[in-house]
């Protein structure tokens, strides 16, 4: 389960993405306009240290883009080129926001979500000592689960090929993140994470995973 905080961020996540997205070679929307959220889903860090959220955003009438984000309390070594920006969280303080494709915590969480069939984490707030569930804005399903004996330890991210379908290679698992869901050809074989959201009722592939 993913614990959320009722908090404000400055700058906001959408402010950061508005500035950062046009620098990506796979971005296909108009520049100079604010991006808007189309939905989001989360995974859980078992250690409770890193926030993991995948946002679906678009600029004006441009296509929807998928951006996995990780939120950290300190910089991630060797990931300066993947830093989306920093933000001040009213509860947690300064947070370093990264494109999750380079973050080993995201890679491990995505592999677990797909290869175990677990999907997204349930989101909740703590309200007067009680859990208040937040309904997801993206409906996620998993198909083609292959790792019946469990998911191997993912370890370090060894290579990232940041294209329309971003490849994340680790020692034990290969992952693919679809940057513009619903566009392009079919993906690789293996487990598939698919989703739908408000305004896009058709389920489309979001990510793939397979053991090496």
């Amino acid at each position: 389960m993913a614990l959320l905080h009722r908090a404000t961020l400055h700058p906001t996540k959408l402010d950061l993405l508005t500035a950062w997205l046009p620098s990506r070679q796979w971005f296909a929307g108009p520049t100079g306009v604010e991006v808007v959220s189309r939905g989001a889903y989360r995974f859980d860090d078992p250690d409770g240290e890193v926030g993991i959220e995948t946002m679906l955003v678009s600029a004006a009438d441009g296509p929807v883009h998928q951006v996995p984000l990780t939120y950290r309390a300190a910089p991630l070594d060797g990931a300066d080129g993947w830093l989306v920006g920093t933000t001040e969280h009213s509860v947690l303080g300064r947070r370093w926001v990264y494109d999750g494709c380079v973050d080993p915590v995201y890679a491990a969480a995505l592999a677990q979500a797909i290869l175990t069939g677990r999907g997204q984490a349930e989101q909740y707030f703590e309200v007067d000592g009680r859990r208040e569930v937040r309904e997801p804005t993206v409906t996620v399903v998993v198909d083609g689960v292959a790792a019946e004996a469990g998911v191997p330890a993912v370890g370090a991210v060894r290579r990232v090929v940041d294209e329309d379908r971003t490849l994340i290679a680790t020692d034990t698992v290969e992952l693919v993140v679809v940057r513009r869901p619903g566009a392009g050809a079919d993906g690789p074989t293996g487990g598939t994470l698919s989703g739908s959201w408000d305004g896009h009722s058709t389920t489309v592939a979001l990510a793939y995973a397979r053991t090496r």
Side-chain angles (χ1 to χ4, degrees):
M1 300 181 74
L3 171 62
L4 307 179
H5 297 275
R6 297 190 186 278
T8 58
L9 292 96
H10 183 75
T12 68
K13 291 175 282 189
L14 291 176
D15 289 339
L16 293 177
L17 289 175
T18 294
W20 177 81
L21 269 174
S23 70
R24 305 296 96 183
Q25 63 88 15
W26 40 263
F27 179 68
T31 60
V33 296
E34 294 183 355
V35 301
V36 297
S37 175
R38 301 304 181 189
Y41 59 98
R42 285 183 177 260
F43 300 137
D44 181 47
D45 172 17
D47 294 330
E49 297 294 329
V50 178
I52 309 169
E53 180 180 25
T54 299
M55 297 190 67
L56 300 174
V57 299
S58 65
D61 294 328
V64 172
H65 293 76
Q66 178 175 213
V67 187
L69 298 173
T70 56
Y71 309 115
R72 288 177 164 268
L76 175 62
D77 288 345
D80 290 353
W82 299 83
L83 180 68
V84 176
T86 59
T87 186
E88 295 296 329
H89 190 288
S90 61
V91 175
L92 301 175
R94 177 162 293 184
R95 308 296 283 176
W96 279 258
V97 183
Y98 289 94
D99 181 339
C101 291
V102 77
D103 197 318
V105 175
Y106 169 74
L110 179 61
Q112 285 283 337
I114 298 177
L115 296 177
T116 66
R118 185 178 303 166
Q120 66 181 310
E122 185 177 62
Q123 304 174 45
Y124 71 97
F125 297 101
E126 287 282 358
V127 180
D128 298 327
R130 295 178 292 104
R131 288 180 175 177
E132 182 179 293
V133 176
R134 178 183 181 182
E135 293 299 321
T137 54
V138 176
T139 300
V140 166
V141 295
V142 178
D143 297 306
V145 178
E148 298 180 359
V151 180
V154 169
V157 172
R158 300 299 182 186
R159 183 168 61 103
V160 179
V161 181
D162 194 25
E163 298 176 345
D164 293 355
R165 291 173 180 251
T166 297
L167 171 68
I168 307 168
T170 76
D171 290 335
T172 58
V173 177
E174 284 190 348
L175 305 160
V176 173
V177 174
V178 182
R179 293 297 195 171
R180 296 197 303 277
D186 293 337
T189 58
T192 305
L193 182 79
S194 302
S196 60
W197 55 92
D198 187 28
H200 196 288
S201 58
T202 302
T203 300
V204 295
L206 299 173
Y208 304 91
R210 64 181 180 187
T211 55
R212 301 181 69 178

